[in-house]
Amino acid sequence: MAQPAGPAKETLPAINYPAIMPILIILGAACLGVLVEAFLPRHQRWGVQVGLTLVAIAAAGVTMATYLTDAPAAGEVTVAGALAVDRPALFLWGTLLALSVGAVLLVADRSVEPGGALVAQAAIRPGTIQDREQRLGALPHRTEAARYQMQTEVFPLMLFSLAGMMIFCAANDLLTMFIALEVLSLPLYLMAGLARRRRLLSQEAAVKYFLLGAFASAFFLYGLALLYGYAGSVRLADIANSAAGTDRSDTLLFAGFGLLVVGLLFKGSVGPFHTWTPDVYQGSPTPVTAYMAACTKVAAFGAILRVLSVGFESISWEWRGVLFGIAVISMVIGAVLGLTQTDIKRMIAYSSIAHAGFLLVGAIVLTPDGLSSTLFYLLTYGFTTLAAFGMISLVRDADGEATHLSQWAGLAKRSPVAAAVFAFLLLALAGLPLTSGFVGKFVVFSAAFADGLAPLVVIALVISAVAAFFYLRVIVLMYFSEPAADGPSVTVPGALTTAAIALGVVVTLLLGIWPAFALDWAGAGSFALH
């Protein structure tokens, strides 16, 4: 007599722990940071949190480098197919970790703004006595200002956001990508509202970012649902197989793709889905703005590259023209509206919108050169922007940062070194030779031209020339205008801010002179198509 079959054994998902160890380290350190906030006295938290954050980033970098030495060239898919750890993902992880070091140094500095750039108590309402007291950094009594230390919760928030970014650009299915999108976004919404100065402007920026981010997440999730209805799966490879040949209606495919891309373009500050960017860049604490501008752009375009290359390459003839138009719109919005700005943080925000258009030029080039050039551009843009916001945080008056352009007049006469460094960074953003910005644009435009996108390259070159005007306007203002008698001064940066700015400047110069190493790494492999 046959015995009844026993219950089927559940198969545990295969997990390659060395491959995902950098993410696990960052998430583990973020959880430890939360415990530090819960159990350590307030006066001990800053040193422990800064040390824990930097050690975690360094450890994640070491484990990633160790895995990279034996990583398969074709990449591998792990965690039940949720994550694809391939060469582009590893390049993006390395870029995010390196940029995060500079961002943490900027956030941790307490010398530029006594007590730190972030508010001491997030619950303080603008205009109250406590609000005025905790902004004593405007006075010379640093011992009094030290009573109101910064919110050290920002460090575990940064680590959670960093982990979300790393998962976001390595996600192999859309559901994992959506969860990572929320993990990276929610801490940023909080961090945007923690500025010590200009509390109302900072809180307004946080609310706008949250509301518009919620709309973008809804678009992404709705597109995910439509694509699941089309392909019966949320994995990018399965969607690609269905798109290549199926008898299902293409309405779900293209509607889902359109909604999905809207959510991704929003996170990348691509026009016309850019409306949050100027207000959030202006209102957020400048170190947080530097972190958002550099790291979020890397994560967003890493995800865009993966989605387009892995999931929708077979229908590129359908969406390429649409993204062609969006790239032009983003470049035009960034260049034209950037010319009208009088606040330097808003000017850099519109610069980022123009650069998002340039990055999209490379993203729609579905060739190995297109992938490697876009990855290299993300690396160069991140370090230059990080250093630029670090320099902006140093120009101050009695009310805090002096961000109005008129206040930068004659800055070279007050601080020749600061003016020279900032001018170099602006020239890199404009794409002049001997800077990383020039090499980044050159390789992206070369890849697009080789792929038959000559009209788009011509448009991008014209808009690059237009955008260069508002960078040069600031340089002329610093060097050929007389400083006001009551104008701002350049604060002597502390060791942490100096290190962050030096890191950005050195990388910007090095990649402009010797880009071969980074270009070789960016082109070392393609996305894993599993």
Short mmCIF file of all heavy atoms in Angstrom, two decimals, residues 233-293:
data_model
loop_
_atom_site.label_atom_id
_atom_site.label_comp_id
_atom_site.label_asym_id
_atom_site.label_seq_id
_atom_site.Cartn_x
_atom_site.Cartn_y
_atom_site.Cartn_z
N SER A 233 4.29 39.22 -13.87
CA SER A 233 5.47 39.20 -13.02
C SER A 233 5.98 40.62 -12.88
O SER A 233 5.73 41.47 -13.74
CB SER A 233 6.57 38.31 -13.63
OG SER A 233 7.77 38.42 -12.90
N VAL A 234 6.69 40.86 -11.77
CA VAL A 234 7.30 42.18 -11.59
C VAL A 234 8.80 42.14 -11.87
O VAL A 234 9.47 43.17 -11.74
CB VAL A 234 7.06 42.71 -10.16
CG1 VAL A 234 5.59 43.01 -9.93
CG2 VAL A 234 7.58 41.74 -9.11
N ARG A 235 9.35 40.98 -12.23
CA ARG A 235 10.78 40.90 -12.53
C ARG A 235 11.05 41.53 -13.89
O ARG A 235 10.31 41.33 -14.85
CB ARG A 235 11.24 39.45 -12.52
CG ARG A 235 11.22 38.82 -11.14
CD ARG A 235 11.86 37.46 -11.13
NE ARG A 235 13.28 37.52 -11.51
CZ ARG A 235 14.07 36.47 -11.54
NH1 ARG A 235 13.59 35.26 -11.23
NH2 ARG A 235 15.34 36.59 -11.87
N LEU A 236 12.14 42.28 -13.96
CA LEU A 236 12.46 42.99 -15.20
C LEU A 236 12.69 42.02 -16.36
O LEU A 236 12.27 42.28 -17.50
CB LEU A 236 13.70 43.86 -14.98
CG LEU A 236 13.52 45.05 -14.03
CD1 LEU A 236 14.85 45.73 -13.76
CD2 LEU A 236 12.51 46.05 -14.60
N ALA A 237 13.35 40.89 -16.09
CA ALA A 237 13.61 39.93 -17.17
C ALA A 237 12.31 39.33 -17.71
O ALA A 237 12.17 39.14 -18.93
CB ALA A 237 14.53 38.82 -16.66
N ASP A 238 11.34 39.06 -16.83
CA ASP A 238 10.06 38.51 -17.28
C ASP A 238 9.28 39.54 -18.09
O ASP A 238 8.62 39.21 -19.08
CB ASP A 238 9.24 38.05 -16.08
CG ASP A 238 9.87 36.87 -15.37
OD1 ASP A 238 10.66 36.15 -16.01
OD2 ASP A 238 9.60 36.67 -14.16
N ILE A 239 9.34 40.79 -17.66
CA ILE A 239 8.67 41.86 -18.42
C ILE A 239 9.31 41.99 -19.80
O ILE A 239 8.62 42.16 -20.82
CB ILE A 239 8.74 43.19 -17.65
CG1 ILE A 239 7.93 43.09 -16.36
CG2 ILE A 239 8.22 44.34 -18.51
CD1 ILE A 239 8.09 44.28 -15.44
N ALA A 240 10.64 41.87 -19.85
CA ALA A 240 11.34 41.96 -21.14
C ALA A 240 10.93 40.81 -22.06
O ALA A 240 10.70 41.02 -23.27
CB ALA A 240 12.85 41.94 -20.91
N ASN A 241 10.80 39.62 -21.50
CA ASN A 241 10.39 38.47 -22.33
C ASN A 241 8.98 38.65 -22.85
O ASN A 241 8.69 38.31 -24.01
CB ASN A 241 10.49 37.18 -21.50
CG ASN A 241 11.93 36.81 -21.18
OD1 ASN A 241 12.84 37.15 -21.92
ND2 ASN A 241 12.13 36.10 -20.07
N SER A 242 8.08 39.16 -22.04
CA SER A 242 6.70 39.39 -22.48
C SER A 242 6.64 40.48 -23.53
O SER A 242 5.88 40.39 -24.51
CB SER A 242 5.82 39.76 -21.29
OG SER A 242 5.75 38.70 -20.35
N ALA A 243 7.43 41.53 -23.35
CA ALA A 243 7.41 42.64 -24.31
C ALA A 243 7.98 42.21 -25.66
O ALA A 243 7.59 42.74 -26.70
CB ALA A 243 8.20 43.82 -23.76
N ALA A 244 8.91 41.25 -25.64
CA ALA A 244 9.54 40.81 -26.89
C ALA A 244 8.59 40.03 -27.78
O ALA A 244 8.73 40.05 -29.01
CB ALA A 244 10.78 39.98 -26.58
N GLY A 245 7.63 39.36 -27.19
CA GLY A 245 6.69 38.59 -28.01
C GLY A 245 5.56 38.02 -27.19
O GLY A 245 5.76 37.09 -26.41
N THR A 246 4.36 38.57 -27.31
CA THR A 246 3.19 38.09 -26.59
C THR A 246 1.95 38.55 -27.34
O THR A 246 1.99 39.50 -28.13
CB THR A 246 3.16 38.61 -25.15
OG1 THR A 246 2.02 38.09 -24.47
CG2 THR A 246 3.09 40.12 -25.12
N ASP A 247 0.84 37.86 -27.08
CA ASP A 247 -0.40 38.24 -27.73
C ASP A 247 -1.25 39.15 -26.87
O ASP A 247 -2.39 39.46 -27.22
CB ASP A 247 -1.21 36.98 -28.10
CG ASP A 247 -1.47 36.10 -26.87
OD1 ASP A 247 -0.97 36.44 -25.79
OD2 ASP A 247 -2.18 35.08 -27.02
N ARG A 248 -0.69 39.61 -25.74
CA ARG A 248 -1.45 40.50 -24.87
C ARG A 248 -1.48 41.91 -25.45
O ARG A 248 -0.64 42.30 -26.26
CB ARG A 248 -0.83 40.53 -23.47
CG ARG A 248 -0.81 39.19 -22.77
CD ARG A 248 -0.31 39.35 -21.33
NE ARG A 248 -0.17 38.07 -20.67
CZ ARG A 248 0.96 37.39 -20.57
NH1 ARG A 248 2.05 37.90 -21.11
NH2 ARG A 248 1.01 36.23 -19.96
N SER A 249 -2.45 42.68 -24.99
CA SER A 249 -2.59 44.06 -25.46
C SER A 249 -1.40 44.89 -25.01
O SER A 249 -0.96 44.79 -23.85
CB SER A 249 -3.89 44.68 -24.93
OG SER A 249 -3.92 46.07 -25.18
N ASP A 250 -0.88 45.72 -25.90
CA ASP A 250 0.24 46.58 -25.54
C ASP A 250 -0.18 47.80 -24.72
O ASP A 250 0.68 48.55 -24.26
CB ASP A 250 0.95 47.06 -26.81
CG ASP A 250 1.74 45.95 -27.49
OD1 ASP A 250 2.04 44.95 -26.81
OD2 ASP A 250 2.03 46.09 -28.68
N THR A 251 -1.48 48.00 -24.55
CA THR A 251 -1.94 49.16 -23.80
C THR A 251 -1.41 49.12 -22.38
O THR A 251 -0.91 50.13 -21.85
CB THR A 251 -3.48 49.21 -23.78
OG1 THR A 251 -3.97 49.24 -25.11
CG2 THR A 251 -3.96 50.45 -23.02
N LEU A 252 -1.50 47.96 -21.73
CA LEU A 252 -0.99 47.84 -20.37
C LEU A 252 0.52 48.07 -20.32
O LEU A 252 1.05 48.69 -19.40
CB LEU A 252 -1.32 46.46 -19.80
CG LEU A 252 -2.78 46.17 -19.43
CD1 LEU A 252 -2.93 44.73 -18.97
CD2 LEU A 252 -3.24 47.12 -18.33
N LEU A 253 1.22 47.55 -21.34
CA LEU A 253 2.67 47.69 -21.37
C LEU A 253 3.10 49.15 -21.43
O LEU A 253 3.90 49.62 -20.61
CB LEU A 253 3.23 46.92 -22.56
CG LEU A 253 4.74 47.08 -22.84
CD1 LEU A 253 5.55 46.54 -21.68
CD2 LEU A 253 5.12 46.40 -24.15
N PHE A 254 2.54 49.88 -22.39
CA PHE A 254 3.00 51.26 -22.57
C PHE A 254 2.47 52.19 -21.50
O PHE A 254 3.17 53.12 -21.07
CB PHE A 254 2.61 51.75 -23.96
CG PHE A 254 3.32 51.02 -25.07
CD1 PHE A 254 2.61 50.33 -26.05
CD2 PHE A 254 4.70 50.98 -25.12
CE1 PHE A 254 3.26 49.64 -27.05
CE2 PHE A 254 5.36 50.29 -26.12
CZ PHE A 254 4.64 49.62 -27.09
N ALA A 255 1.24 51.95 -21.03
CA ALA A 255 0.72 52.77 -19.93
C ALA A 255 1.53 52.52 -18.66
O ALA A 255 1.90 53.47 -17.95
CB ALA A 255 -0.76 52.45 -19.70
N GLY A 256 1.82 51.25 -18.38
CA GLY A 256 2.62 50.94 -17.20
C GLY A 256 4.02 51.50 -17.30
O GLY A 256 4.56 52.05 -16.32
N PHE A 257 4.62 51.38 -18.47
CA PHE A 257 5.97 51.92 -18.66
C PHE A 257 5.98 53.44 -18.46
O PHE A 257 6.88 53.98 -17.80
CB PHE A 257 6.48 51.58 -20.06
CG PHE A 257 7.78 52.24 -20.41
CD1 PHE A 257 8.97 51.76 -19.91
CD2 PHE A 257 7.81 53.36 -21.23
CE1 PHE A 257 10.18 52.37 -20.23
CE2 PHE A 257 9.00 53.98 -21.55
CZ PHE A 257 10.19 53.48 -21.06
N GLY A 258 4.99 54.12 -19.02
CA GLY A 258 4.94 55.58 -18.89
C GLY A 258 4.82 56.02 -17.44
O GLY A 258 5.55 56.92 -16.99
N LEU A 259 3.93 55.40 -16.68
CA LEU A 259 3.76 55.77 -15.28
C LEU A 259 5.01 55.42 -14.46
O LEU A 259 5.41 56.18 -13.57
CB LEU A 259 2.54 55.05 -14.70
CG LEU A 259 1.19 55.48 -15.29
CD1 LEU A 259 0.08 54.55 -14.82
CD2 LEU A 259 0.87 56.92 -14.90
N LEU A 260 5.61 54.30 -14.77
CA LEU A 260 6.83 53.89 -14.06
C LEU A 260 7.95 54.89 -14.28
O LEU A 260 8.64 55.31 -13.33
CB LEU A 260 7.25 52.51 -14.55
CG LEU A 260 8.43 51.84 -13.83
CD1 LEU A 260 7.97 51.26 -12.51
CD2 LEU A 260 9.01 50.73 -14.71
N VAL A 261 8.12 55.31 -15.52
CA VAL A 261 9.20 56.23 -15.85
C VAL A 261 8.97 57.60 -15.22
O VAL A 261 9.92 58.27 -14.80
CB VAL A 261 9.36 56.33 -17.38
CG1 VAL A 261 10.25 57.50 -17.77
CG2 VAL A 261 9.95 55.04 -17.92
N VAL A 262 7.72 58.03 -15.10
CA VAL A 262 7.43 59.31 -14.44
C VAL A 262 7.96 59.29 -13.01
O VAL A 262 8.60 60.25 -12.55
CB VAL A 262 5.92 59.60 -14.47
CG1 VAL A 262 5.58 60.75 -13.52
CG2 VAL A 262 5.46 59.96 -15.87
N GLY A 263 7.69 58.20 -12.29
CA GLY A 263 8.21 58.10 -10.93
C GLY A 263 9.72 58.14 -10.87
O GLY A 263 10.31 58.78 -9.99
N LEU A 264 10.39 57.49 -11.80
CA LEU A 264 11.85 57.48 -11.82
C LEU A 264 12.41 58.84 -12.22
O LEU A 264 13.40 59.31 -11.62
CB LEU A 264 12.34 56.41 -12.80
CG LEU A 264 12.08 54.96 -12.39
CD1 LEU A 264 12.44 54.01 -13.54
CD2 LEU A 264 12.87 54.59 -11.14
N LEU A 265 11.81 59.49 -13.20
CA LEU A 265 12.31 60.80 -13.64
C LEU A 265 12.12 61.85 -12.55
O LEU A 265 12.94 62.77 -12.42
CB LEU A 265 11.58 61.23 -14.92
CG LEU A 265 11.83 60.37 -16.16
CD1 LEU A 265 11.05 60.90 -17.36
CD2 LEU A 265 13.32 60.29 -16.50
N PHE A 266 11.05 61.72 -11.77
CA PHE A 266 10.86 62.65 -10.64
C PHE A 266 12.03 62.55 -9.67
O PHE A 266 12.59 63.56 -9.24
CB PHE A 266 9.55 62.32 -9.92
CG PHE A 266 9.37 63.06 -8.62
CD1 PHE A 266 8.78 64.30 -8.59
CD2 PHE A 266 9.81 62.50 -7.42
CE1 PHE A 266 8.63 64.98 -7.38
CE2 PHE A 266 9.66 63.16 -6.22
CZ PHE A 266 9.07 64.41 -6.20
N LYS A 267 12.40 61.33 -9.33
CA LYS A 267 13.49 61.16 -8.37
C LYS A 267 14.81 61.65 -8.94
O LYS A 267 15.70 62.08 -8.19
CB LYS A 267 13.59 59.68 -7.97
CG LYS A 267 14.51 59.39 -6.82
CD LYS A 267 14.20 60.23 -5.60
CE LYS A 267 12.86 59.93 -4.98
NZ LYS A 267 12.61 60.73 -3.76
N GLY A 268 14.98 61.62 -10.25
CA GLY A 268 16.21 62.09 -10.88
C GLY A 268 16.21 63.57 -11.21
O GLY A 268 17.15 64.06 -11.83
N SER A 269 15.16 64.32 -10.82
CA SER A 269 15.05 65.77 -11.10
C SER A 269 15.09 66.08 -12.59
O SER A 269 15.70 67.05 -13.03
CB SER A 269 16.16 66.55 -10.39
OG SER A 269 16.12 66.34 -9.02
N VAL A 270 14.45 65.24 -13.37
CA VAL A 270 14.40 65.47 -14.81
C VAL A 270 13.17 66.32 -15.14
O VAL A 270 12.06 65.99 -14.73
CB VAL A 270 14.34 64.12 -15.57
CG1 VAL A 270 14.30 64.35 -17.08
CG2 VAL A 270 15.53 63.24 -15.19
N GLY A 271 13.37 67.41 -15.87
CA GLY A 271 12.23 68.22 -16.29
C GLY A 271 11.38 67.47 -17.30
O GLY A 271 11.91 66.68 -18.08
N PRO A 272 10.07 67.66 -17.29
CA PRO A 272 9.29 68.61 -16.49
C PRO A 272 8.81 68.05 -15.16
O PRO A 272 7.82 68.55 -14.61
CB PRO A 272 8.10 68.88 -17.43
CG PRO A 272 7.90 67.59 -18.15
CD PRO A 272 9.26 66.99 -18.33
N PHE A 273 9.48 67.03 -14.62
CA PHE A 273 9.09 66.44 -13.34
C PHE A 273 10.05 66.91 -12.25
O PHE A 273 10.44 66.15 -11.36
CB PHE A 273 9.12 64.91 -13.45
CG PHE A 273 8.42 64.39 -14.67
CD1 PHE A 273 9.15 63.93 -15.77
CD2 PHE A 273 7.04 64.37 -14.76
CE1 PHE A 273 8.51 63.47 -16.91
CE2 PHE A 273 6.39 63.91 -15.89
CZ PHE A 273 7.13 63.46 -16.98
N HIS A 274 10.41 68.18 -12.32
CA HIS A 274 11.48 68.74 -11.51
C HIS A 274 10.98 69.71 -10.46
O HIS A 274 11.80 70.29 -9.73
CB HIS A 274 12.42 69.53 -12.42
CG HIS A 274 11.77 70.76 -12.97
ND1 HIS A 274 10.87 70.68 -14.01
CD2 HIS A 274 11.83 72.07 -12.62
CE1 HIS A 274 10.42 71.91 -14.27
NE2 HIS A 274 10.99 72.75 -13.45
N THR A 275 9.67 69.93 -10.35
CA THR A 275 9.16 71.11 -9.64
C THR A 275 9.58 71.16 -8.17
O THR A 275 9.63 72.24 -7.58
CB THR A 275 7.63 71.16 -9.73
OG1 THR A 275 7.10 69.87 -9.37
CG2 THR A 275 7.19 71.46 -11.16
N TRP A 276 9.88 70.02 -7.58
CA TRP A 276 10.32 70.02 -6.18
C TRP A 276 11.75 70.50 -6.02
O TRP A 276 12.13 71.01 -4.94
CB TRP A 276 10.22 68.60 -5.61
CG TRP A 276 11.11 67.60 -6.30
CD1 TRP A 276 10.86 66.91 -7.45
CD2 TRP A 276 12.44 67.22 -5.91
NE1 TRP A 276 11.92 66.12 -7.79
CE2 TRP A 276 12.90 66.27 -6.85
CE3 TRP A 276 13.27 67.56 -4.84
CZ2 TRP A 276 14.16 65.68 -6.77
CZ3 TRP A 276 14.52 66.97 -4.75
CH2 TRP A 276 14.95 66.04 -5.72
N THR A 277 12.55 70.39 -7.04
CA THR A 277 14.00 70.52 -6.88
C THR A 277 14.45 71.90 -6.41
O THR A 277 15.20 72.00 -5.42
CB THR A 277 14.70 70.15 -8.21
OG1 THR A 277 14.21 68.89 -8.66
CG2 THR A 277 16.20 70.08 -8.02
N PRO A 278 14.07 73.03 -7.06
CA PRO A 278 14.59 74.32 -6.60
C PRO A 278 14.21 74.65 -5.16
O PRO A 278 15.05 75.12 -4.38
CB PRO A 278 13.97 75.32 -7.59
CG PRO A 278 13.62 74.51 -8.79
CD PRO A 278 13.24 73.17 -8.27
N ASP A 279 12.95 74.42 -4.78
CA ASP A 279 12.51 74.74 -3.43
C ASP A 279 13.19 73.87 -2.39
O ASP A 279 13.57 74.34 -1.31
CB ASP A 279 10.99 74.59 -3.32
CG ASP A 279 10.24 75.64 -4.13
OD1 ASP A 279 10.81 76.73 -4.35
OD2 ASP A 279 9.11 75.37 -4.56
N VAL A 280 13.34 72.59 -2.68
CA VAL A 280 13.95 71.68 -1.71
C VAL A 280 15.45 71.96 -1.58
O VAL A 280 16.00 71.96 -0.47
CB VAL A 280 13.69 70.22 -2.10
CG1 VAL A 280 14.44 69.26 -1.17
CG2 VAL A 280 12.19 69.92 -2.04
N TYR A 281 16.13 72.21 -2.68
CA TYR A 281 17.55 72.54 -2.60
C TYR A 281 17.76 73.82 -1.80
O TYR A 281 18.71 73.93 -1.03
CB TYR A 281 18.13 72.72 -4.01
CG TYR A 281 18.53 71.44 -4.71
CD1 TYR A 281 17.88 70.24 -4.45
CD2 TYR A 281 19.54 71.43 -5.65
CE1 TYR A 281 18.23 69.07 -5.10
CE2 TYR A 281 19.91 70.26 -6.32
CZ TYR A 281 19.24 69.08 -6.03
OH TYR A 281 19.60 67.93 -6.68
N GLN A 282 16.90 74.81 -2.01
CA GLN A 282 17.06 76.09 -1.33
C GLN A 282 16.74 75.98 0.16
O GLN A 282 17.42 76.56 0.99
CB GLN A 282 16.16 77.15 -1.98
CG GLN A 282 16.31 78.54 -1.35
CD GLN A 282 15.33 79.53 -1.95
OE1 GLN A 282 14.33 79.15 -2.54
NE2 GLN A 282 15.62 80.82 -1.79
N GLY A 283 15.68 75.26 0.51
CA GLY A 283 15.22 75.25 1.89
C GLY A 283 15.92 74.26 2.78
O GLY A 283 15.97 74.45 4.00
N SER A 284 16.47 73.20 2.24
CA SER A 284 17.11 72.18 3.08
C SER A 284 18.43 72.70 3.64
O SER A 284 19.05 73.61 3.09
CB SER A 284 17.38 70.92 2.24
OG SER A 284 16.20 70.38 1.72
N PRO A 285 18.87 72.13 4.77
CA PRO A 285 20.23 72.44 5.23
C PRO A 285 21.23 72.13 4.11
O PRO A 285 21.12 71.10 3.45
CB PRO A 285 20.42 71.50 6.43
CG PRO A 285 19.05 71.10 6.84
CD PRO A 285 18.20 71.13 5.61
N THR A 286 22.19 73.00 3.91
CA THR A 286 23.09 72.85 2.76
C THR A 286 23.82 71.51 2.74
O THR A 286 23.95 70.90 1.67
CB THR A 286 24.08 74.02 2.71
OG1 THR A 286 23.34 75.24 2.58
CG2 THR A 286 25.03 73.89 1.53
N PRO A 287 24.30 70.97 3.87
CA PRO A 287 24.90 69.62 3.79
C PRO A 287 23.91 68.55 3.34
O PRO A 287 24.29 67.62 2.62
CB PRO A 287 25.36 69.37 5.23
CG PRO A 287 25.54 70.73 5.83
CD PRO A 287 24.48 71.57 5.21
N VAL A 288 22.65 68.68 3.74
CA VAL A 288 21.64 67.73 3.29
C VAL A 288 21.37 67.91 1.80
O VAL A 288 21.20 66.94 1.06
CB VAL A 288 20.33 67.89 4.11
CG1 VAL A 288 19.22 67.01 3.56
CG2 VAL A 288 20.59 67.56 5.58
N THR A 289 21.34 69.17 1.35
CA THR A 289 21.18 69.43 -0.08
C THR A 289 22.32 68.78 -0.87
O THR A 289 22.09 68.20 -1.94
CB THR A 289 21.16 70.95 -0.35
OG1 THR A 289 20.12 71.55 0.42
CG2 THR A 289 20.91 71.23 -1.82
N ALA A 290 23.55 68.87 -0.36
CA ALA A 290 24.68 68.26 -1.03
C ALA A 290 24.49 66.75 -1.14
O ALA A 290 24.76 66.14 -2.19
CB ALA A 290 25.97 68.57 -0.28
N TYR A 291 24.02 66.14 -0.07
CA TYR A 291 23.78 64.69 -0.06
C TYR A 291 22.70 64.31 -1.07
O TYR A 291 22.86 63.37 -1.85
CB TYR A 291 23.38 64.27 1.35
CG TYR A 291 23.04 62.80 1.50
CD1 TYR A 291 24.00 61.82 1.30
CD2 TYR A 291 21.76 62.40 1.85
CE1 TYR A 291 23.71 60.48 1.45
CE2 TYR A 291 21.45 61.06 2.00
CZ TYR A 291 22.42 60.10 1.80
OH TYR A 291 22.11 58.78 1.93
N MET A 292 21.59 65.08 -1.07
CA MET A 292 20.51 64.79 -2.02
C MET A 292 20.97 64.98 -3.46
O MET A 292 20.70 64.14 -4.32
CB MET A 292 19.30 65.70 -1.74
CG MET A 292 18.49 65.32 -0.52
SD MET A 292 16.93 66.21 -0.46
CE MET A 292 17.49 67.89 -0.32
N ALA A 293 21.63 66.10 -3.71
CA ALA A 293 22.01 66.43 -5.09
C ALA A 293 22.97 65.41 -5.67
O ALA A 293 22.88 65.06 -6.85
CB ALA A 293 22.64 67.83 -5.13
#
